[in-house]
Amino acid sequence: MEPKVIKRIGVLTSGGDSPGMNAAIRAAVRAGFYYNIEMYGIYRGYEGMIHNEIKKLDSKNIAHVLERGGTFLKSARSEEFRTPEGRQKAYENLKAHGIDALVVIGGDGSLTGAHLFYKEFGIPAVGLPGTIDNDLSGTDSTIGFDTACNTAIQAIDKIRDTATSHDRLFFVEVMGRDAGFIAINAGIGSAAAAILIPEKKMPIEDLVEKLKVRTKAKKTSNIVIVAEGGKSGGAAEIASKVKKLLPYYDIKVTILGHLQRGGAPSSFDRLLASKLGVAAVEGLLHGKYDVMAGLINHKVVYTPIKKAIVDDKTVDEDDFRVAKILST
Ligand code: F6P
């Protein structure tokens, strides 16, 4: 597509925040300044676009944000943006500010919003994959995933200490609504006895059998990782089912929850976010609209948003194999 002349770009973060979003905003804004573009911050995601929470950014706004978790632009999940009336209001506000393109940082819902907006109003947008879940195609890793895995592993290491002292069985629930990426990474990285993820059903009987085998092998403490969207239920549900079948086990449940969404981004996420922030602005300037910028094999790749959100990115079968070998 022949590139439009772009003078003002709006940047927003939307949906669940993820560590590295600030680094991505900073990179996009700095890249914009480099190419003499006026940069605008749209606060509270699409909700702020509808309610006109839009401010011009200068270099002070993005000083010392790269290393901070969360998003200084704030984030929200907007119900109103799902309606044509909400999107119309949002468009009027962008028009009033003379914003001619968008960088949207978020997960599948946020990128779907950018896609719809492009289709309805022709506002060019480049999406960046900002979610701890890693459930977007078109990128090897999403911004925040690496940090979330590190956070989960550090927490599980601590649980391991107390589990060992008391010879206990712990069920640790990690985030990942429909995706087991955090669970499989954190599980392999923390020597879990078993990993339960949404993509694969493990019957309770199989889990119980596995635990019995480990007990016979004199493994007195065990950690089972459960993804929150697991097919057999959450950690609490699975723990109570297992307790019925193995009443002599001393069982505890820990839900890591939103702990995994915060914290300073890892070096991997800082680099990923920085590269993609620049790629978003350069993509817009080169006429790449309605795409998501991602990194595949260390190279920037632009994937149509529709494909990035629809294509099923699944946990690598080989990761399962490795997890199974290491927990037997
Ligand atoms: O999509 C990111 C995520 O952290 C999921 O892993 C989790 O299910 C969800 O967001 C939680 O959303 P909220 O913060 O709105 O409760």
Side-chain angles (χ1 to χ4, degrees):
M1 155 150 352
E2 192 55 31
K4 295 186 185 180
V5 176
I6 290 175
K7 294 197 173 130
R8 292 180 181 178
I9 296 178
V11 184
L12 65 99
T13 48
S14 157
D17 63 349
S18 69
M21 278 186 161
N22 276 326
I25 301 165
R26 169 195 178 258
V29 173
R30 291 205 76 87
F33 292 161
Y34 181 84
Y35 291 109
N36 293 319
I37 293 165
E38 288 181 28
M39 299 300 290
Y40 284 76
I42 301 168
Y43 290 75
R44 294 198 312 118
Y46 293 115
E47 197 62 11
M49 204 191 274
I50 293 170
H51 296 283
N52 207 15
E53 296 168 40
I54 302 173
K55 285 186 199 137
K56 192 170 172 193
L57 297 173
D58 61 32
S59 54
K60 279 197 213 80
N61 295 111
I62 48 157
H64 307 299
V65 300
L66 173 128
E67 65 276 23
R68 279 169 37 205
T71 158
F72 82 89
L73 288 180
K74 298 186 179 288
S75 193
R77 301 190 194 273
S78 175
E79 279 308 315
E80 206 179 342
F81 196 77
R82 291 176 195 272
T83 66
E85 298 75 25
R87 293 196 290 278
Q88 182 67 40
K89 271 198 229 166
Y91 173 68
E92 299 300 334
N93 288 331
L94 289 190
K95 220 169 59 175
H97 286 277
I99 293 172
D100 16 54
L102 292 173
V103 173
V104 174
I105 308 165
D108 51 358
S110 314
L111 299 191
T112 305
H115 170 67
L116 267 180
F117 213 53
Y118 179 68
K119 265 184 40 192
E120 290 175 356
F121 301 103
I123 299 281
V126 171
L128 295 185
T131 165
I132 62 166
D133 291 348
N134 200 29
D135 57 348
L136 287 165
S137 293
T139 191
D140 290 335
S141 187
T142 55
I143 298 166
F145 170 62
D146 180 66
T147 309
C149 288
N150 284 320
T151 302
I153 283 173
Q154 282 160 18
I156 299 163
D157 284 349
K158 290 177 181 152
I159 292 169
R160 166 83 60 197
D161 291 343
T162 176
T164 311
S165 305
H166 289 268
D167 289 340
R168 278 176 168 157
L169 164 60
F170 267 84
F171 287 86
V172 181
E173 186 174 299
V174 296
M175 271 189 166
R177 211 174 359 210
D178 311 303
F181 292 99
I182 298 177
I184 198 93
N185 273 29
I188 292 175
S190 64
I195 305 166
L196 278 64
I197 64 169
E199 295 88 337
K200 274 217 159 127
K201 193 170 171 72
M202 181 192 279
I204 292 294
E205 297 69 31
D206 290 7
L207 174 61
V208 164
E209 211 36 58
K210 208 172 179 24
L211 292 168
K212 281 184 183 162
V213 170
R214 286 175 67 92
T215 304
K216 272 200 199 120
K218 303 268 180 289
K219 292 197 195 310
T220 51
S221 67
N222 286 290
I223 292 181
V224 174
I225 305 296
V226 184
E228 63 175 336
K231 287 225 168 15
S232 321
E237 201 180 326
I238 293 170
S240 82
K241 285 182 191 159
V242 170
K243 183 75 185 164
K244 283 191 189 119
L245 298 167
L246 299 172
Y248 44 90
Y249 270 55
D250 188 358
I251 296 178
K252 297 285 171 187
V253 175
T254 304
I255 296 172
L256 297 185
H258 287 79
L259 180 85
Q260 297 156 96
R261 288 246 295 264
S266 63
S267 86
F268 180 89
D269 277 328
R270 291 180 197 204
L271 190 67
L272 176 67
S274 300
K275 284 187 174 185
L276 294 185
V278 173
V281 169
E282 289 184 338
L284 286 171
L285 296 181
H286 292 115
K288 295 199 187 301
Y289 307 152
D290 198 20
V291 293
M292 186 197 86
L295 219 58
I296 298 180
N297 289 333
H298 308 286
K299 290 270 171 283
V300 171
V301 174
Y302 297 95
T303 304
I305 288 181
K306 241 180 133 182
K307 192 166 157 50
I309 55 180
V310 169
D311 267 12
D312 252 2
K313 180 171 168 186
T314 48
V315 170
D316 198 330
E317 276 300 324
D318 204 49
D319 288 355
F320 271 119
R321 203 179 56 81
V322 169
K324 196 171 164 198
I325 290 173
L326 296 179
S327 62
T328 305

